[in-house]
Amino acid sequence: MNFDIIGSNISEAAEELAKLQGLAAAGTLSEEELQIGLLHAYHHLNFAWNIRHEATSTYASLTQRQFNRWGKYPVEIETL
């Protein structure tokens, strides 16, 4: 597994969730911020799973098609 890619995407998701948590704790989180933030966090979590076996060079030069595919929820994760 490519731990660099996994780690960086999990870190991005964690940062987004921490931001949302801070806004929620302050009572200033809007529904739009929640939606955008959760979409961003999910995207990175999905990426962490879907690209876990790819080379860093593939990740560094991914196509729009790969970006779209790897950003989607990995349905096969439910069957593990």
Side-chain angles (χ1 to χ4, degrees), residues 27-70:
T28 60
L29 178 65
S30 71
E31 189 168 341
E32 292 81 16
E33 289 170 315
L34 177 62
Q35 178 185 13
I36 292 167
L38 288 177
L39 285 169
H40 184 221
Y42 278 124
H43 168 81
H44 283 289
L45 293 173
N46 295 339
F47 240 75
W49 178 262
N50 289 327
I51 200 168
R52 69 193 182 283
H53 295 297
E54 298 294 332
T56 302
S57 59
T58 302
Y59 182 70
S61 61
L62 61 112
T63 66
Q64 187 64 45
R65 184 172 175 236
Q66 289 168 320
F67 179 85
N68 293 341
R69 187 175 77 237
W70 290 333

